Amino acid sequence: GQQVMQIPQYQHVQEGEDFTTYCNSSTTLSNIQWYKQRPGGHPVFLIQLVKSGEVKKQKRLTFQFGEAKKNSSLHITATQTTDVGTYFCAGTRGAGSYQLTFGKGTKLSVIP
Amino acid sequence: DTAVSQTPKYLVTQMGNDKSIKCEQNLGHDTMYWYKQDSKKFLKIMFSYNNKELIINETVPNRFSPKSPDKAHLNLHINSLELGDSAVYFCASSQWAGESNEQFFGPGTRLTVL
């Protein structure tokens, strides 16, 4: 079945440092979504990428979708304590399958 | 106004009991989901309903039975609870069952089986 791998599992950064999490799929994806889950909270949708090579920005967050549509990354510039949480990527295989397969997430801790 | 709500928020029960979790969405969405998040934070799809019809039914013990009385509600009934069922269960909804749909998650139900 489709697998979505995400690394690293944990990342501790000093406030102001950059952070990147990577997502890789065993199969070509139709689209990829990113979610953020704050401690004790629920996943909240951040963004969706659909096109090969697509890059989208949300303030300090930059999302990329690989040319082959099998990998993606989320980069946060100058982390803040409000960025703390677990970031999940989730992919859809397409071809009639609309099931979202989640990566295991990257837990970000920001040291003030 | 809460978009996706779940009750109860916490559920502590003994092994062998039967329990239900309820979910309601007021977004007018056609599709609803149940996810299980284990202690390692892994999010796994369990079921999905589109307009009251089951469309995703992952490998889940048949002790778990979803029920969708209408497209705004998706409940989860669990029979003969086991220790391994302890987890956070999230309900979610999306506008429809297509590929390009963000999912809106409820606040979760933390189930503890003793």
Side-chain angles (χ1 to χ4, degrees):
Chain A
Q2 179 184 344
Q3 289 189 352
V4 176
M5 280 75 70
Q6 198 173 345
I7 56 168
Q9 195 174 353
Y10 303 96
Q11 185 83 59
H12 304 273
V13 299
Q14 203 75 36
E15 189 172 15
E17 290 182 342
D18 292 357
F19 158 76
T20 305
T21 172
Y22 300 91
C23 190
N24 286 288
S25 170
S26 55
T27 58
T28 303
L29 299 170
S30 171
N31 64 65
I32 196 153
Q33 298 179 7
W34 285 91
Y35 290 79
K36 176 183 179 181
Q37 184 177 17
R38 292 181 190 274
H42 58 276
V44 174
F45 176 83
L46 293 176
I47 209 158
Q48 177 173 267
L49 304 169
V50 179
K51 298 177 186 173
S52 168
E54 189 170 14
V55 178
K56 286 188 176 180
K57 293 192 177 191
Q58 287 179 350
K59 298 183 181 177
R60 294 178 295 104
L61 277 62
T62 302
F63 304 84
Q64 291 190 339
F65 201 8
E67 293 290 340
K69 299 183 76 172
K70 294 178 80 170
N71 56 66
S72 181
S73 64
L74 157 59
H75 180 81
I76 303 178
T77 305
T79 54
Q80 299 175 358
T81 54
T82 53
D83 296 325
V84 162
T86 301
Y87 293 84
F88 293 95
C89 62
T92 306
R93 193 174 71 227
S97 170
Y98 30 72
Q99 179 177 318
L100 263 185
T101 300
F102 280 80
K104 293 193 174 182
T106 296
K107 185 174 180 179
L108 172 64
S109 301
V110 179
I111 305 160
Chain B
D1 286 341
T2 305
V4 182
S5 58
Q6 293 178 231
T7 54
K9 192 170 172 60
Y10 299 97
L11 186 52
V12 182
T13 188
Q14 299 283 338
M15 254 187 350
N17 284 351
D18 302 339
K19 290 292 178 186
S20 291
I21 308 171
K22 296 187 175 182
C23 178
E24 176 181 2
Q25 54 95 2
N26 62 6
L27 297 167
H29 288 170
D30 283 352
T31 311
M32 296 183 73
Y33 311 81
W34 276 112
Y35 287 88
K36 178 181 180 181
Q37 187 171 49
D38 61 24
S39 57
K40 294 183 179 177
K41 298 290 188 187
F42 183 41
L43 262 173
K44 193 169 183 339
I45 182 79
M46 300 173 70
F47 303 102
S48 177
Y49 272 73
N50 185 59
N51 264 322
K52 302 192 297 176
E53 285 193 30
L54 183 65
I55 55 171
I56 294 174
N57 186 1
E58 284 297 291
T59 308
V60 174
N62 57 17
R63 298 181 295 104
F64 290 79
S65 51
K67 278 192 173 56
S68 183
D70 55 63
K71 73 173 193 177
H73 295 85
L74 179 61
N75 303 323
L76 183 65
H77 187 76
I78 316 169
N79 287 328
S80 303
L81 278 155
E82 300 177 359
L83 293 176
D85 297 332
S86 295
V88 180
Y89 291 84
F90 286 103
C91 176
S93 73
S94 64
Q95 194 167 4
W96 56 74
E99 295 171 6
S100 303
N101 273 283
E102 69 176 276
Q103 294 187 9
F104 293 79
F105 283 77
T109 296
R110 182 174 292 277
L111 171 65
T112 303
V113 182
L114 303 174

